[in-house]
Amino acid sequence: MEVVYEDNHIIVVNKAPGEIVQGDKTGDKPLSETVGEWLKKKYDKPGNVFVGVVHRLDRPVGGLVIFAKTSKALTRLNEMLRKGEIHKTYWAITRNMPPKPEALVESYIRTVERNNKSYVSAAPRDGAKEAKLRYRLIASSDRYHLLEVNLLTGRKHQIRVQLASIGCPIKGDLKYGDKRSNPDGSISLMARHLSFVHPVSGKTIDLTAPLPAGAESTLWNVLASGVAGTHENEAGED
C-alpha cells in the first residue's frame, strides 16, 4: 500500500489498478480494509480502526483516494465532496485525437446495473442524470494522446463513457470501445491530482499521484515528459 499523505484525521493512498475501494459482491478484499490493517499495525491499536470511505475509483483505475481516520473528518469531507470543494484532476490516455484541444462535454448518463455499464444521451430520458466534464489535450506521441480531465459532476463511469462518446475511448477500456486491453488489465485512466482545504486544520492539501508502474509505465512517462510544468505535493501538518 502506497501512502501519499497522512495526518491525524485523513490518509490519502495511491490505489493500484485492480483494487476495489470498498467491499462489493465479489467478496475481494477492499482497499479500505487494507488501510485499516496498515493503521492498526503502524500505531499498534487494539480493536477495530476507523476508516471512512470518502469517494471511490473504478476497479481498473489507479490514483489518489482519500480515507477519513475520524468520524468528524468523514462528515466534513462528505459535505465538501457534495459541494464540489474537493478538486480532482484525472489523466487519461486515448488512441484517438479529441475533436478539439479542449472542451466542455455535456450529456446525460444512465447506468444499467445488470451489465454494470453507463450510457450517454444528448437529451434527458428516464433514469438519466446530467453529466459535465472539461478536458484538455496536454501531450501527444505518435500514437497516443494524454488528456487532463476535470469532473463537474460525479456519475458512474462518467469519464470513460463521455470520452468514448466523443470518439476517444480510454486505452485498454474494452467496456467503452477501445480495441485492445492493457497487459495488466488496467485502463489508462488515473486520479492524478487532489486539492482541498483540510476539513479540520483548514490548511490547503495539494497532492499528486506518482505515474503508474508496470507494463504501462513507459507510455505514461513518455507522455508526461511532454507536459509543461510540474506539480509538487504540499500539505499542512495537523
Side-chain angles (χ1 to χ4, degrees), residues 4 27 32 52 57 60 63 66 79-80 83 93 96 129-130 139-140 156 162 166 169-170 172 182-183 185 215 223:
V4 178
S32 57
L57 291 178
I66 309 169
E79 182 65 10
M80 290 166 62
K83 292 180 177 179
I93 297 175
N96 299 333
K129 296 180 179 179
E130 185 179 34
S140 291
K156 187 170 185 177
Q162 283 196 301
I166 62 168
I170 293 167
N182 288 341
L223 288 169

Side-chain angles (χ1 to χ4, degrees), residues 50-210:
F50 183 89
V51 178
V53 176
V54 178
H55 63 108
R56 291 176 286 184
L57 291 178
D58 293 349
R59 186 163 194 161
V61 177
L64 300 177
V65 182
I66 309 169
F67 295 96
K69 293 171 60 178
T70 63
S71 57
K72 176 166 70 173
L74 179 61
T75 299
R76 293 181 181 180
L77 285 166
N78 283 338
E79 182 65 10
M80 290 166 62
L81 191 68
R82 187 185 68 81
K83 292 180 177 179
E85 295 172 351
I86 298 176
H87 305 289
K88 296 179 284 185
T89 300
Y90 296 80
W91 278 12
I93 297 175
T94 65
R95 299 181 197 274
N96 299 333
M97 176 76 78
K100 298 178 181 178
E102 57 183 297
L104 171 68
V105 181
E106 298 179 273
S107 56
Y108 293 84
I109 292 178
R110 65 183 179 92
T111 300
V112 177
E113 295 298 339
R114 175 174 47 81
N115 61 354
N116 190 34
K117 190 171 180 179
S118 295
Y119 298 85
V120 297
S121 58
R125 54 181 298 177
D126 290 346
K129 296 180 179 179
E130 185 179 34
K132 297 180 182 181
L133 65 76
R134 291 188 183 276
Y135 75 81
R136 182 168 66 95
L137 177 66
I138 56 175
S140 291
S141 67
D142 291 341
R143 297 173 57 196
Y144 298 105
H145 310 281
L146 180 62
L147 308 184
E148 182 179 84
V149 181
N150 292 103
L151 286 174
L152 304 181
T153 56
R155 310 302 179 205
K156 187 170 185 177
H157 297 178
Q158 182 178 338
I159 296 175
R160 299 165 66 181
V161 70
Q162 283 196 301
L163 289 186
S165 74
I166 62 168
C168 293
I170 293 167
K171 181 179 178 294
D173 196 358
L174 300 181
K175 176 169 280 193
Y176 291 103
D178 195 35
K179 300 174 182 177
R180 293 183 295 279
S181 61
N182 288 341
D184 60 2
S186 69
I187 65 172
S188 299
L189 173 65
M190 68 175 300
R192 176 67 166 162
H193 306 295
L194 271 177
S195 179
F196 58 97
V197 174
H198 194 285
V200 179
S201 71
K203 295 181 179 180
T204 298
I205 307 294
D206 194 350
L207 303 170
T208 300

